[in-house]
Amino acid sequence: MYRKNYKDGVLKQTDFEVCQSLVKHSSGMKGSLPLQKLHLVSRSIYHSHHPTLKLQRPQLRTSFQQFSSLTNLPLRKLKFSPIKYGYQPRRNFWPARLATRLLKLRYLILGSAVGGGYTAKKTFDQWKDMIPDLSEYKWIVPDIVWEIDEYIDFEKIRKALPNSEDLVKLAPDFDKIVESLNLLKDFFTSGSPGETAFRATDHGSESDKHFRKVSDKEKIDQLQEELLHTQLKYQRILERLEKENKELRKLVLQKDDKGIHHRKLKKSLIDMYSEVLDVLSDYDASYNTQDHLPRVVVVGDQSAGKTSVLEMIAQARIFPRGSGEMMTRSPVKVTLSEGPHHVALFKDSSREFDLTKEEDLAALRHEIELRMRKNVKEGCTVSPETISLNVKGPGLQRMVLVDLPGVINTVTSGMAPDTKETIFSISKAYMQNPNAIILCIQDGSVDAERSIVTDLVSQMDPHGRRTIFVLTKVDLAEKNVASPSRIQQIIEGKLFPMKALGYFAVVTGKGNSSESIEAIREYEEEFFQNSKLLKTSMLKAHQVTTRNLSLAVSDCFWKMVRESVEQQADSFKATRFNLETEWKNNYPRLRELDRNELFEKAKNEILDEVISLSQVTPKHWEEILQQSLWERVSTHVIENIYLPAAQTMNSGTFNTTVDIKLKQWTDKQLPNKAVEVAWETLQEEFSRFMTEPKGKEHDDIFDKLKEAVKEESIKRHKWNDFAEDSLRVIQHNALEDRSISDKQQWDAAIYFMEEALQARLKDTENAIENMVGPDWKKRWLYWKNRTQEQCVHNETKNELEKMLKCNEEHPAYLASDEITTVRKNLESRGVEVDPSLIKDTWHQVYRRHFLKTALNHCNLCRRGFYYYQRHFVDSELECNDVVLFWRIQRMLAITANTLRQQLTNTEVRRLEKNVKEVLEDFAEDSEKKVKLLTGKRVQLAEDLKKVREIQEKLDAFIEALHQEK
């Protein structure tokens, strides 16, 4: 029969009260028992949140009280008097009287038990009748209370509770009392009556003192051992109940509609708090606000067991391991919360790792190791960047822990030179937070004097108000340390001047990385059951095992959170007000766009500009392509094709030379040049759209981003490889055609030829002017003079011009005797010249002469279309050079048209795709966005957004925290 009362998750059973009343009546004690004298299970029921279970050791008395007769015992409820060692003054017939009293004592105990049970039963029935009928008010109690038997197996709990035999064991052991009396009897009956009388009167004899001393020590050891076994027995009972409770929690949390709302609220609390810390970790460090909210900072020397302690608290082997190697290379923030399944997931990933499966555990450890190595920059060993990990499971204590790299004393080979200083700076950055709880891990198997972290913790928290000291590897310490009291001095903080809130001793396995959490826990319990540290009271029961440690750390963590979170919320409100005021004063007409929002705006603008590129007209494309291509190939056409062919003596040789050179040019260079021109034209047009100002709407904050996107897109873009092959065929067919269809095309070819020759003539005139210096007009008007070299070139030019006037049809090259004649003529005038100087001057002089002659011939060919149609038969006018330039012009037009089609149909779309890919890559690269979107306006908007987000999350967390209270 149970009376259900749902309060704080504890069910009180009426049977316990009956048992308590039975014990009170049978023992004869007046008043209520203090908490320290209650049964262990009763204390666990009345104080379910009591962190430890302490048993008061009864004080042992070493002497018997003297008495004369047992017939004077009062007939009332049994009350045991303290037994004292001693001797009776009256010794006549005492064995018979002793046996009689013992028999009466047995009947008294039996009668008292029966009477007390009947009285308790009658009192319980009267009390039950006095309880009013509350069935009419059943609607007030939530349905979950009446359905609690669906989730909790009361039969298991009843079986787990101690039976009457266990309760009787708490009473005095009467068999041992009888045994002690028999020992007294044997002692008194041995020897002669005179010796007996002597021993009775002589209390100061040495043999009596030695006997009492030995028996007292045995009694104390026996009672201590019994007390320790009783503690361990009920500790195992409590652990079994907690395991069943953990399974029941898992079932309750899996219910969607019939869950316990209080548990759901607790789960969301730690998740909300973890989100606040995640946002703070990304906030600007110049404000130093990310260090003012509590978290549990796990620090210790390298290989001291930090990671093992954290895994025992998380109940899973989640961290990479190595023998003597530094495995923790960056801080790992672990958020522990309650959930129906034991899983882990990263902040920036949706994948859940099932911690009950070994393959998922291995994958999780591998992922953590990869993230650590990714965070570590080149040339470094550790990184301050934090990895955020959430671990959920039934029965986990809610808290946020940060595992830091182990503190080292010496930088070994393979490490960066500043590794030691970097680890110290990371540890100090987390520990200097006035609200951080420091979990200081000390290796118990090494000398405490070799520890580095204790001095560091003492500097950060000299008064020990937020430090919890944990001694690991206690099993190795007990084996290796010669003096066990040294471990006690370490635990009590007497061996070094470091103060702490609490001191704990744990065992994290036998050093085998393949051990499971359950195996480690069983080994830890077994060790402390047999450890001398507990038997000799060097350690208290609440100071051992990682389970007690996690409970203490969780309580301390939430206490610190409740004390500091509202103060942090107020500071963020003030910061938000200051930032909003600064924005209104500096940018009153602009929206508060943070870096991500600005990037999205710039992304839309860039995509619009790429779309505008596809709207360029075909005529514009062909004009700029034809002009650019001619600028690229004009030098080759004039110098390598036209001029060599024009030096021939007849039209047949001219046409043959032109055809051969055009074929070679088309096969080797022309298609490649055309593709290069098209690609450069596309880049120029794309750059023009990206960089030209948009009027008042132009925002120069996007200029660096647009330039970076343009450069990266152009770098990734590659022209289609098959374009050159198809273009080569088209160009070859265009150059083979010599048929000019009408006079308009003829005039266009002559105009094209004149422009090309005039541009070359202008370039030649400039080259000659630079060679010979300014003429007489510039010398007089601008006060310029010729250099000595220019004077020599001028004399040489004048001499060569005289030669050309004598023979206007002179070939393109000077003969050796002509060079000698020119040199001697100059020497006769006192001008010393070199033959190479004469050749260089002749090249420019003859080039100018040839171009002028070609231009005159071009004018004559304006009326030569009629002769062209007749193939220049019976005509002295031959205009084969006009035909050549028409072929070049037509090839340029056809090539420009082909490239324009490829641009608009293929390359512009591919470029647009590349731009989108670049923008997507930039969007995922936070460092790139920080580098490209800079300025006071961006930083102010970024800070304002972060502060608002933090404040909103803190307000929601505080509201949920108040609801939990």
Side-chain angles (χ1 to χ4, degrees):
M1 182 187 306
Y2 296 92
R3 178 172 57 86
K4 300 180 180 179
N5 184 14
Y6 184 72
K7 182 178 181 181
D8 294 336
V10 179
L11 289 175
K12 299 182 179 180
Q13 300 179 10
T14 309
D15 292 348
F16 292 152
E17 298 179 2
V18 174
C19 295
Q20 182 179 0
S21 175
L22 177 62
V23 173
K24 287 182 179 180
H25 286 290
S26 62
S27 60
M29 295 183 180
K30 296 181 181 181
S32 61
L33 283 172
L35 177 62
Q36 290 80 2
K37 297 182 180 180
L38 284 177
H39 190 276
L40 286 173
V41 178
S42 301
R43 288 174 54 195
S44 66
I45 293 174
Y46 278 89
H47 297 274
S48 60
H49 301 289
H50 200 274
T52 56
L53 193 61
K54 299 180 180 179
L55 290 177
Q56 297 290 336
R57 184 183 290 109
Q59 185 176 1
L60 185 65
R61 301 186 181 182
T62 57
S63 61
F64 284 101
Q65 183 180 3
Q66 296 181 359
F67 57 90
S68 59
S69 176
L70 294 178
T71 57
N72 295 327
L73 289 172
L75 293 176
R76 55 187 176 90
K77 296 180 180 180
L78 182 61
K79 181 176 181 182
F80 296 105
S81 300
I83 302 175
K84 299 182 180 180
Y85 292 98
Y87 302 95
Q88 301 179 20
R90 296 173 59 188
R91 295 184 296 275
N92 296 328
F93 305 102
W94 64 269
R97 286 194 296 271
L98 180 61
T100 304
R101 298 301 185 272
L102 289 176
L103 290 175
K104 288 183 179 181
L105 183 62
R106 182 176 301 174
Y107 291 121
L108 288 174
I109 293 173
L110 180 61
S112 300
V114 174
Y118 175 76
T119 304
K121 179 66 171 55
K122 186 175 181 181
T123 304
F124 170 70
D125 292 338
Q126 292 176 357
W127 176 80
K128 187 173 66 173
D129 295 337
M130 293 171 60
I131 297 176
D133 188 8
L134 300 177
S135 59
E136 297 179 359
Y137 304 97
K138 183 178 179 181
W139 59 273
I140 299 177
V141 182
D143 294 338
I144 186 62
V145 176
W146 308 113
E147 300 173 2
I148 197 68
D149 55 346
E150 297 180 6
Y151 309 109
I152 301 177
D153 192 350
F154 293 106
E155 185 65 23
K156 287 185 178 180
I157 296 177
R158 188 184 65 79
K159 292 180 179 180
L161 293 174
N163 51 24
S164 58
E165 295 178 358
D166 294 331
L167 294 174
V168 170
K169 289 181 180 180
L170 293 177
D173 194 346
F174 297 106
D175 294 334
K176 292 185 178 181
I177 295 176
V178 173
E179 183 180 354
S180 300
L181 293 176
N182 291 333
L183 290 173
L184 289 174
K185 175 182 176 182
D186 295 339
F187 177 75
F188 291 138
T189 54
S190 61
S192 62
E195 292 176 354
T196 302
F198 176 76
R199 290 173 182 170
T201 54
D202 189 6
H203 298 286
S205 63
E206 295 180 0
S207 60
D208 180 40
K209 290 181 180 179
H210 177 70
F211 171 78
R212 281 185 292 176
K213 183 176 180 180
V214 173
S215 61
D216 290 347
K217 184 177 180 181
E218 291 177 354
K219 286 287 184 180
I220 291 173
D221 294 341
Q222 187 176 4
L223 289 175
Q224 285 182 347
E225 187 174 355
E226 289 180 0
L227 180 61
L228 181 60
H229 281 298
T230 305
Q231 287 180 337
L232 295 176
K233 178 180 179 181
Y234 288 107
Q235 184 74 14
R236 287 193 293 270
I237 295 174
L238 289 176
E239 289 176 357
R240 187 169 68 251
L241 291 174
E242 287 180 357
K243 185 176 181 180
E244 294 177 358
N245 188 21
K246 178 180 176 181
E247 296 176 355
L248 294 175
R249 284 183 187 175
K250 181 177 179 180
L251 295 175
V252 171
L253 291 172
Q254 287 176 343
K255 295 291 183 179
D256 294 332
D257 300 329
K258 298 182 180 181
I260 300 177
H261 301 287
H262 187 63
R263 291 296 179 191
K264 290 184 178 180
L265 182 62
K266 282 189 175 182
K267 175 189 174 184
S268 63
L269 270 179
I270 190 63
D271 291 338
M272 292 165 64
Y273 186 76
S274 179
E275 289 178 0
V276 174
L277 295 181
D278 289 337
V279 177
L280 278 172
S281 64
D282 299 331
Y283 189 53
D284 187 7
S286 62
Y287 286 89
N288 292 327
T289 50
Q290 71 275 22
D291 294 333
H292 289 173
L293 283 175
R295 77 260 291 151
V296 181
V297 181
V298 185
V299 296
D301 299 329
Q302 184 179 353
S303 302
K306 306 186 315 302
T307 303
S308 300
V309 172
L310 195 54
E311 287 180 338
M312 290 295 292
I313 295 176
Q315 300 180 14
R317 308 298 292 269
I318 58 178
F319 290 104
R321 314 186 70 82
S323 57
E325 182 184 358
M326 178 182 290
M327 301 304 297
T328 307
R329 297 180 178 270
S330 65
V332 182
K333 181 176 76 68
V334 182
T335 302
L336 301 180
S337 59
E338 199 173 26
H341 305 288
H342 202 187
V343 295
L345 66 158
F346 293 97
K347 179 187 73 172
D348 55 353
S349 175
S350 59
R351 178 187 177 184
E352 285 191 352
F353 297 88
D354 190 351
L355 301 183
T356 60
K357 299 179 180 179
E358 187 58 37
E359 56 270 17
D360 279 21
L361 280 171
L364 176 61
R365 291 192 290 266
H366 181 65
E367 180 66 20
I368 293 176
E369 186 174 2
L370 288 180
R371 287 174 179 255
M372 287 183 180
R373 296 188 181 278
K374 182 180 178 181
N375 289 343
V376 177
K377 298 180 180 179
E378 186 177 357
C380 300
T381 306
V382 294
S383 170
E385 297 183 18
T386 305
I387 299 173
S388 182
L389 179 67
N390 293 339
V391 179
K392 300 181 180 181
L396 291 182
Q397 300 298 321
R398 304 173 303 150
M399 67 183 102
V400 177
L401 305 101
V402 181
D403 186 21
L404 300 179
V407 179
I408 61 175
N409 190 21
T410 305
V411 177
T412 60
S413 60
M415 293 185 180
D418 61 343
T419 301
K420 180 179 178 181
E421 290 75 14
T422 305
I423 295 176
F424 268 80
S425 63
I426 294 174
S427 302
K428 288 182 179 179
Y430 278 91
M431 288 192 294
Q432 69 185 1
N433 176 5
N435 297 320
I437 300 168
I438 303 173
L439 196 63
C440 180
I441 309 298
Q442 171 67 37
D443 188 352
S445 62
V446 299
D447 295 336
E449 293 81 3
R450 296 167 56 186
S451 175
I452 311 171
V453 71
T454 51
D455 294 336
L456 184 61
V457 173
S458 299
Q459 296 175 8
M460 296 292 103
D461 185 24
H463 301 290
R465 295 172 180 171
R466 51 189 180 90
T467 301
I468 297 177
F469 181 82
V470 181
L471 187 67
T472 60
K473 305 177 184 179
V474 185
D475 51 343
L476 299 178
E478 189 177 28
K479 294 178 182 178
N480 300 334
V481 176
S483 176
S485 62
R486 186 176 177 83
I487 299 178
Q488 184 180 12
Q489 291 177 354
I490 296 175
I491 289 295
E492 294 177 355
K494 297 178 180 179
L495 200 59
F496 37 77
M498 191 193 80
K499 300 179 181 179
L501 281 174
Y503 299 85
F504 289 86
V506 298
V507 175
T508 55
K510 301 178 182 179
N512 186 4
S513 59
S514 61
E515 285 182 293
S516 64
I517 296 296
E518 286 296 327
I520 296 174
R521 184 172 298 169
E522 292 176 359
Y523 173 71
E524 183 182 40
E525 294 175 358
E526 181 182 357
F527 168 76
F528 284 117
Q529 287 177 8
N530 303 320
S531 175
K532 296 180 181 179
L533 300 175
L534 279 179
K535 291 181 179 181
T536 57
S537 300
M538 291 185 182
L539 294 177
K540 299 179 181 178
H542 70 275
Q543 288 183 300
V544 297
T545 72
T546 51
R547 173 183 168 275
N548 290 333
L549 172 64
S550 61
L551 289 172
V553 174
S554 178
D555 292 342
C556 186
F557 169 76
W558 283 105
K559 179 182 178 183
M560 192 74 75
V561 168
R562 292 186 177 92
E563 292 176 353
S564 61
V565 68
E566 293 188 0
Q567 181 182 0
Q568 286 298 304
D570 293 339
S571 67
F572 276 106
K573 289 179 182 178
T575 305
R576 174 178 176 177
F577 176 78
N578 295 335
L579 292 175
E580 289 177 346
T581 305
E582 185 178 358
W583 182 274
K584 291 177 181 178
N585 293 333
N586 294 321
Y587 312 102
R589 298 181 181 180
L590 295 177
R591 288 180 56 199
E592 302 164 0
L593 300 179
D594 62 0
R595 186 170 280 110
N596 292 330
E597 293 171 339
L598 287 172
F599 182 83
E600 290 299 323
K601 184 179 178 180
K603 177 181 177 181
N604 295 331
E605 289 187 8
I606 293 172
L607 293 177
D608 292 341
E609 291 162 356
V610 175
I611 293 174
S612 301
L613 189 64
S614 62
Q615 297 175 355
V616 177
T617 60
K619 182 179 179 181
H620 179 73
W621 278 121
E622 291 183 10
E623 288 178 355
I624 58 179
L625 283 171
Q626 188 171 348
Q627 182 180 357
S628 301
L629 183 59
W630 173 242
E631 291 176 355
R632 181 66 62 86
V633 302
S634 60
T635 303
H636 181 83
V637 170
I638 300 296
E639 302 293 336
N640 298 332
I641 298 177
Y642 173 65
L643 290 179
Q647 304 300 321
T648 58
M649 302 303 295
N650 54 59
S651 60
T653 308
F654 177 87
N655 292 330
T656 302
T657 305
V658 166
D659 290 342
I660 293 173
K661 290 187 176 294
L662 287 177
K663 181 69 168 61
Q664 294 175 351
W665 183 44
T666 306
D667 291 340
K668 296 180 179 180
Q669 299 179 8
L670 184 57
N672 187 23
K673 294 288 184 182
V675 170
E676 290 180 359
V677 168
W679 177 219
E680 292 175 0
T681 303
L682 179 60
Q683 293 181 35
E684 291 174 0
E685 289 297 307
F686 179 54
S687 301
R688 181 173 64 84
F689 279 104
M690 292 283 288
T691 56
E692 66 180 4
K694 304 296 187 299
K696 294 182 179 180
E697 297 180 357
H698 178 70
D699 195 346
D700 57 358
I701 202 171
F702 300 142
D703 291 345
K704 291 177 65 176
L705 176 61
K706 290 182 177 180
E707 185 66 23
V709 171
K710 182 195 73 174
E711 293 178 357
E712 185 65 23
S713 302
I714 291 173
K715 186 187 299 182
R716 296 185 184 185
H717 186 81
K718 293 182 179 179
W719 202 272
N720 192 353
D721 296 333
F722 300 102
E724 291 187 13
D725 298 333
S726 60
L727 193 60
R728 182 179 292 106
V729 176
I730 295 172
Q731 291 171 340
H732 182 73
N733 293 333
L735 290 172
E736 283 185 348
D737 189 8
R738 295 192 185 93
S739 59
I740 304 175
S741 59
D742 54 18
K743 181 70 165 57
Q744 186 179 359
Q745 294 183 5
W746 181 269
D747 293 339
I750 291 176
Y751 178 75
F752 176 64
M753 179 179 175
E754 284 182 344
E755 282 189 342
L757 295 178
Q758 286 175 359
R760 293 295 163 181
L761 180 59
K762 185 178 179 180
D763 294 340
T764 304
E765 293 285 356
N766 293 331
I768 292 174
E769 184 179 355
N770 293 331
M771 183 183 294
V772 302
D775 56 5
W776 66 270
K777 185 185 293 185
K778 291 183 179 180
R779 291 200 303 271
W780 282 96
L781 293 177
Y782 302 107
W783 294 81
K784 294 183 178 180
N785 296 321
R786 290 173 176 171
T787 63
Q788 183 65 32
E789 184 180 0
Q790 288 176 344
C791 292
V792 174
H793 278 289
N794 184 55
E795 294 293 335
T796 307
K797 179 188 72 101
N798 294 334
E799 189 68 25
L800 293 174
E801 285 178 349
K802 293 177 183 179
M803 183 185 299
L804 279 176
K805 286 181 181 181
C806 297
N807 184 13
E808 293 184 355
E809 295 182 359
H810 194 285
Y813 301 100
L814 286 175
S816 58
D817 56 342
E818 291 177 334
I819 296 174
T820 303
T821 302
V822 172
R823 185 166 60 86
K824 288 182 178 182
N825 292 338
L826 292 173
E827 288 178 354
S828 65
R829 295 200 296 267
V831 180
E832 295 290 336
V833 295
D834 188 79
S836 61
L837 187 144
I838 297 174
K839 291 180 181 179
D840 294 340
T841 307
W842 167 257
H843 176 73
Q844 298 298 332
V845 171
Y846 180 81
R847 183 185 181 87
R848 181 177 62 177
H849 170 72
F850 174 81
L851 291 174
K852 287 181 178 181
T853 304
L855 284 172
N856 293 331
H857 181 69
C858 187
N859 290 327
L860 294 175
C861 289
R862 289 183 184 276
R863 61 180 185 276
F865 181 68
Y866 172 75
Y867 300 104
Y868 164 75
Q869 289 180 332
R870 297 181 59 185
H871 304 288
F872 301 106
V873 178
D874 300 331
S875 173
E876 295 181 358
L877 183 64
E878 293 183 358
C879 298
N880 293 313
D881 49 356
V882 177
V883 178
L884 170 63
F885 277 91
W886 178 82
R887 294 166 69 182
I888 297 295
Q889 186 182 30
R890 186 169 180 270
M891 181 273 299
L892 293 176
I894 293 175
T895 302
N897 181 269
T898 304
L899 293 174
R900 188 266 308 167
Q901 293 179 6
Q902 190 172 359
L903 277 172
T904 55
N905 296 335
T906 306
E907 302 303 330
V908 171
R909 295 180 181 178
R910 292 178 62 225
L911 180 61
E912 182 179 355
K913 181 181 178 181
N914 289 338
V915 170
K916 291 181 179 179
E917 292 177 354
V918 171
L919 289 172
E920 290 176 358
D921 294 343
F922 283 8
E924 296 176 357
D925 192 346
S926 300
E927 294 182 357
K928 184 76 72 175
K929 288 191 288 187
V930 171
K931 182 180 179 181
L932 298 176
L933 294 173
T934 58
K936 180 181 178 182
R937 169 184 157 195
V938 181
Q939 193 60 47
L940 185 59
E942 193 76 11
D943 293 341
L944 190 54
K945 178 195 173 184
K946 290 292 184 183
V947 170
R948 283 175 177 168
E949 185 179 2
I950 293 169
Q951 183 190 349
E952 291 172 359
K953 291 184 179 295
L954 274 176
D955 292 342
F957 173 74
I958 293 172
E959 183 180 358
L961 195 63
H962 290 165
Q963 290 179 0
E964 186 189 48
K965 290 182 180 180

